[in-house]
Every structure is written in structure tokens, then in C-alpha cells.
């Protein structure tokens, strides 16, 4: 028989305290291409600087009366003929001097912003819509449709841009902001067309497009809901950079006497007038040129920032 004296008392084991339930780690929400682009743009100094400059330019073009009370079309040859700038009087009509007709250079600089911004924005909007639609149709359907539309695009693409705009403007006896917009948009859509066509050819091979077709989605739905949002990134980059180019193109045509003309106020018109008097009043040429350069630079900087944000290879 076993020796009962050597049997140790066994204390019952204390039940272990139940462990606190472990909360599953919250999965970080995946960001889309546009979310990543916006997060990158907010940290990009080029985007911040260019956005501030463009915001100021848009404010000037929309509300020029906030920046000067002078009439840009009223001149006084007796009192202000080629008067030099008075740099100490910031914001006054005398600040940047007067031109050969006694008009305030500062007032014309402020009011000239509107014509350049309207031309650039309207031309960009038109060429983006026309180029995107034609490029999307050509890239998606392919075959004969693509061949015909590509040959038409090649014809327009082969015409020199400024030379073609000059020829188109010659057909109008009265040249306004809208005739310049039409002349520039008439030949400016080809680059957007090429970019959109290439993007659509790439996107339409994606699995989600094939899945939409298998589920019975119609062509308009596939183009608008699936292809267009995923093919717009390179188009936005090209259109943003082109904005600055259209500002310069409008000024070039006005400088050559084929674009805007008096009484319309434009930087190109003032640069043309200042070039004839550069030896005696260089300020007439200098200040509109500086304003034009700043505007073009702001749009180019914005386009570069957007390009870097939308291209994952560059980040």
C-alpha cells in the first residue's frame, strides 16, 4: 500500500484571468492616385508658390478695381506724356509711370491681366474637352476609326501653331478676346488628343475594363466611369503646362498686331507699344514683360508640380 504520509497536498490551481481581447489593428485606408498626388502637392514648395501667384493673378483679373482706381484708357498728353516711374508711390497711378499717350502703366498692367487669363483659361478648357473626347474615341475603338481620326489629327498637327493662328485671325476684321480664343483653340487640341489616345490604349487593357464588359456595361459607361478617370492624369499635366504657353501665345499675337488691339487692354499690346519707345521710355516695355514672365512661370511651375505628383516613378 502506498505511504499516505508522503502524499503532498495538492492545492487546486487558480484559474488564470481571462486575457483582454486583442483589438485587431486598424488597416490603413489605401489612398488612390489622386489622394497620393494631393498629399505630395501639399508638401511641394513649387506648388505652394505657383498657387499663390495664380490666386493673386485670378483676383486681379476678376477685381481690378481693388488694386487701382485709375482709368487705364484715359490719357493726358500734356500732364503725363512719358512720365518716368515714381517707385515711392506704391499703388498710385504714378507708381510705374505713364506711356506715350499719357495713360498709367500700372493701371494698364492691372487691367491687362484679365485678357491674358481669360484667353489662357478658355483656350485650355476648349482644347482639353475637344482633345480628350477625340483622343478617347480614337484610342478606345481603334481600327478604322482610329486611323481616320489620327490622320485628321496629323493634318492639324503639321500646321505650325502660331502661323496657323495668324492665318485664322486674318479672317476676322474685328479681333476680340473670343476670336483669339477660337484661333488658338482651333489648332491647340492636337497635343491633348495624342496624350489622351495613348493613355486610353493603355487603360483599356486593364482587368477592370474587361470585367465591366463581361458584366454587360455599355460603352458610354465604360468610357465615362472606368477609362476617363484613369486616363486623365497625363492630360491634366499637359493642360496645366499649356496654360502658360497660351498666355505667351496671346501676347505674341498681340505684339505682332494680329491678336488683341486697342481699345482692348493687353500686355502684348503694351509690349508692342513699348518696343517702339524703348530708347526714351523703357519702363513701358519693362513692366508688362515682367508681368508676362511671372504669369508664364507660375503656370509652368504648377504644371511641373502636378506632373511630379501624378507620376509615381518621379516620387
Amino acid at each position: 500500500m502506498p505511504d499516505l504520509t508522503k502524499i503532498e497536498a495538492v492545492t487546486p490551481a487558480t484559474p488564470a484571468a481571462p486575457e483582454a481581447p486583442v483589438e485587431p489593428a486598424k488597416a490603413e485606408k489605401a489612398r488612390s492616385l489622386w489622394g497620393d498626388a494631393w498629399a505630395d502637392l501639399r508638401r511641394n514648395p513649387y506648388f505652394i508658390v505657383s498657387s499663390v501667384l495664380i490666386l493673386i493673378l485670378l483676383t486681379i483679373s476678376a477685381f481690378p478695381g481693388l488694386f487701382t482706381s485709375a482709368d487705364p484708357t484715359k490719357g493726358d498728353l500734356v500732364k503725363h506724356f512719358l512720365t518716368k516711374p515714381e517707385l515711392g508711390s506704391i499703388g498710385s497711378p504714378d507708381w510705374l509711370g505713364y506711356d506715350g499717350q499719357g495713360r498709367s502703366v500700372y493701371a494698364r498692367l492691372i487691367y491687362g491681366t484679365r485678357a491674358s487669363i481669360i484667353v489662357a483659361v478658355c483656350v485650355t478648357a476648349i482644347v482639353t474637352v475637344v482633345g480628350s473626347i477625340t483622343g478617347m474615341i480614337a484610342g478606345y475603338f481603334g481600327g478604322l476609326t482610329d486611323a481616320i481620326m489620327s490622320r485628321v489629327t496629323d493634318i492639324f498637327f503639321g500646321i505650325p501653331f502660331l502661323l496657323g493662328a495668324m492665318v485664322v485671325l486674318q479672317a476676322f476684321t474685328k479681333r476680340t478676346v473670343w476670336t483669339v480664343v477660337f484661333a488658338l483653340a482651333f489648332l491647340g487640341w492636337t497635343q491633348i488628343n495624342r496624350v489622351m489616345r495613348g493613355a486610353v490604349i493603355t487603360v483599356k487593357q486593364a482587368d477592370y475594363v474587361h470585367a465591366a464588359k463581361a458584366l454587360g456595361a455599355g460603352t458610354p459607361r465604360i468610357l465615362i466611369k472606368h477609362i476617363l478617370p484613369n486616363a486623365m492624369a497625363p492630360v491634366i499635366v499637359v493642360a496645366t503646362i499649356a496654360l502658360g504657353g497660351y498666355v505667351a501665345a496671346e501676347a505674341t499675337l498681340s505684339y505682332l498686331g494680329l491678336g488683341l488691339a486697342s481699345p482692348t487692354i493687353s500686355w502684348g499690346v503694351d509690349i508692342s507699344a513699348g518696343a517702339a519707345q524703348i530708347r526714351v521710355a523703357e519702363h513701358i516695355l519693362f513692366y508688362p514683360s515682367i508681368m508676362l514672365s511671372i504669369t508664364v512661370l507660375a503656370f509652368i511651375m504648377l504644371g511641373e508640380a502636378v506632373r511630379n505628383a501624378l507620376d509615381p516613378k518621379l516620387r
Side-chain angles (χ1 to χ4, degrees):
M1 294 182 62
D3 189 357
L4 298 179
T5 60
K6 294 183 179 180
I7 299 178
E8 298 179 358
V10 178
T11 58
T14 305
E19 296 182 358
V22 179
E23 295 183 0
K26 293 183 179 180
E28 185 179 355
K29 185 178 179 180
R31 291 188 303 191
S32 63
L33 173 64
W34 303 103
D36 287 337
W38 175 241
D40 184 75
L41 285 174
R42 287 182 297 177
R43 300 189 299 268
N44 193 328
Y46 290 105
F47 174 76
I48 297 173
V49 172
S50 61
S51 298
V52 170
L53 289 175
I54 292 172
L55 181 61
I56 293 173
L57 291 169
L58 292 175
T59 305
I60 292 174
S61 64
F63 309 103
L66 297 177
F67 298 87
T68 180
S69 58
D71 186 349
T73 60
K74 184 179 180 180
D76 189 343
L77 292 175
V78 176
K79 189 176 181 181
H80 299 305
F81 178 71
L82 295 180
T83 302
K84 297 293 183 179
E86 296 181 10
L87 300 180
S89 56
I90 298 177
S92 71
D94 304 328
W95 183 27
L96 303 180
Y98 293 83
D99 63 7
Q101 299 184 32
R103 300 171 300 190
S104 171
V105 173
Y106 173 66
R108 292 187 65 81
L109 202 68
I110 294 298
Y111 280 87
T113 307
R114 176 175 295 177
S116 298
I117 295 298
I118 288 176
V119 169
V121 172
C122 291
V123 172
T124 303
I126 293 173
V127 301
T128 301
V129 172
V130 174
S132 297
I133 293 175
T134 55
M136 188 164 54
I137 293 174
Y140 181 77
F141 291 102
L144 183 61
T145 302
D146 184 21
I148 294 175
M149 298 187 71
S150 295
R151 298 298 76 77
V152 173
T153 304
D154 290 340
I155 293 173
F156 280 88
F157 202 78
I159 302 174
F161 180 64
L162 282 179
L163 178 60
M166 293 177 191
V167 174
V168 173
L169 286 171
Q170 290 289 350
F172 297 93
T173 55
K174 185 179 180 181
R175 301 183 186 100
T176 63
V177 169
W178 303 114
T179 56
V180 174
V181 168
F182 172 77
L184 294 176
F186 183 71
L187 297 171
W189 58 273
T190 53
Q191 186 177 13
I192 300 291
N193 174 280
R194 291 287 183 84
V195 174
M196 175 60 84
R197 176 181 174 273
V200 169
I201 290 175
T202 302
V203 171
K204 75 176 184 179
Q205 307 297 332
D207 292 337
Y208 53 83
V209 176
H210 293 299
K213 291 180 181 179
L215 292 173
T219 299
R221 180 179 179 82
I222 293 174
L223 288 174
I224 296 173
K225 295 291 185 179
H226 300 284
I227 290 183
L228 183 61
N230 293 284
M232 278 300 295
V235 173
I236 292 175
V237 173
V238 173
T240 307
I241 297 176
L243 266 166
Y246 293 131
V247 173
E250 180 276 319
T252 302
L253 293 172
S254 299
Y255 175 83
L256 295 174
L258 297 171
L260 301 177
S262 296
T264 305
I265 305 169
S266 167
W267 295 335
V269 173
D270 289 347
I271 291 173
S272 178
Q277 298 172 332
I278 189 172
R279 295 182 181 274
V280 293
E282 65 281 353
H283 64 279
I284 304 176
L285 172 67
F286 179 74
Y287 293 112
S289 302
I290 291 296
M291 196 70 172
L292 176 65
S293 300
I294 291 174
T295 304
V296 174
L297 178 63
F299 283 114
I300 291 177
M301 288 173 59
L302 179 64
E304 289 294 327
V306 173
R307 180 178 67 88
N308 294 337
L310 291 177
D311 191 346
K313 297 178 182 178
L314 298 177
R315 287 205 302 268

